[in-house]
Amino acid sequence: MTITRFADLARLVPGSLRYDLWKEGQFGSFTVFLIESPSSSDLGTGRQEAPLLQAVCGLVGHRFAGFQPLGKEELRETLGYIFQTWKVPKDAKAAARPQFALQISCHGSGNGLGVGPDLVEWTELAKMVGLARRDVSLPYIMSLSACGGNAPNLDALGREGLEPLYLFSFGGEVSWDDAALAWAILYHQVRRLQVKDKAKVQAIIDTIHQLGLGPMRYHRWTGITYKTYSGNAK
């Protein structure tokens, strides 16, 4: 095998070493892929994250694309499309940055996510992402905008293939408008940081808490396990 790209090199090393390579990158500007699955009764209320996130991304220099799967199979197809058609830059510095943010916004519970009429269990979601990432080695971040986002055993999901550099979620109930504002602040602030600047990422989480926008937390993947930060308790 001839190694011609950073991504080819990354595929040959264990997950922990890939993380060591990727954590040196800067978040910078990236694409936010929003996978949103509101119920039919939500559609006429305007309680959807896509319009606000698209506006925020335009203001701060991120790119945006939205998907609205109507069920489990469409979610699987959407994840496959995102990972399998993404072109990793040939430049090593650009390839080491998080390539995109994958945000999933839908109704959820401790059992999983509601996608249309279907329940996607947490382990099933991890397996979907793992399958979508087959033969694809790239750094990405993930956001869960759903009730129950604090419930999964994340290390178990990581072993199934759910391995974002950072997974952002809420540790409890949060209103729709507070969540939308919290995501806007996160994506605005994180673009200035390097992946390894965990203290500065923690400061963003603390700011969201101080503004009363919900108990956001992050789960940072080390290549082996997740390290969770739930905000300053003071």
Side-chain angles (χ1 to χ4, degrees):
M1 174 183 177
T2 301
I3 298 175
T4 59
R5 298 192 307 168
F6 180 89
D8 296 327
L9 173 63
R11 275 194 288 270
L12 298 180
V13 298
S16 57
L17 297 182
R18 288 201 301 270
Y19 179 79
D20 287 340
L21 292 171
W22 290 336
K23 72 180 183 181
E24 298 301 320
Q26 184 178 14
F27 283 99
S29 297
F30 47 76
T31 299
V32 176
F33 287 118
L34 174 64
I35 300 177
E36 189 169 22
S37 184
S39 66
S40 58
S41 57
D42 290 334
L43 290 175
T45 66
R47 292 180 178 273
Q48 294 168 262
E49 294 181 358
L52 178 58
L53 275 182
Q54 184 171 18
V56 168
C57 288
L59 286 172
V60 304
H62 296 313
R63 298 165 296 280
F64 175 87
F67 301 87
Q68 197 171 99
L70 299 180
K72 183 183 298 187
E73 289 306 313
E74 287 192 14
L75 174 62
R76 192 190 316 275
E77 292 170 359
T78 299
L79 291 169
Y81 169 78
I82 291 171
F83 280 98
Q84 291 295 318
T85 65
W86 184 265
K87 290 181 170 40
V88 178
K90 293 182 179 180
D91 176 72
K93 186 175 181 180
R97 296 173 179 168
Q99 297 297 289
F100 51 76
L102 179 63
Q103 178 161 331
I104 299 180
S105 174
C106 55
H107 294 286
S109 69
N111 295 321
L113 300 173
V115 181
D118 300 328
L119 173 67
V120 178
E121 296 181 351
W122 293 110
T123 301
E124 191 174 11
L125 174 65
K127 289 180 178 179
M128 283 185 185
V129 174
L131 181 63
R133 292 175 56 233
R134 66 190 184 279
D135 301 324
V136 176
S137 183
L138 56 82
Y140 69 102
I141 64 176
M142 187 170 181
S143 302
L144 284 176
S145 187
C147 295
N150 63 324
N153 180 333
L154 289 174
D155 286 344
L157 299 189
R159 291 191 290 271
E160 295 289 352
L162 192 69
E163 302 174 333
L165 294 175
Y166 283 86
L167 191 157
F168 297 94
S169 65
F170 288 98
E173 296 291 332
V174 61
S175 66
W176 170 85
D177 51 343
D178 284 347
L181 289 171
W183 296 124
I185 291 170
L186 173 67
Y187 292 141
H188 176 257
Q189 295 295 317
V190 78
R191 65 196 172 102
R192 302 186 177 98
L193 307 182
Q194 287 187 291
V195 171
K196 65 181 179 182
D197 290 337
K198 61 181 181 180
K200 294 180 180 179
V201 180
Q202 290 171 2
I204 298 174
I205 300 294
D206 290 339
T207 296
I208 290 170
H209 285 216
Q210 291 160 8
L211 291 172
L213 298 178
M216 183 178 282
R217 57 177 61 180
Y218 78 55
H219 314 277
R220 180 173 55 84
W221 180 246
T222 67
I224 301 173
T225 188
Y226 279 101
K227 301 293 186 182
T228 296
Y229 180 74
S230 299
N232 192 329
K234 295 181 179 178

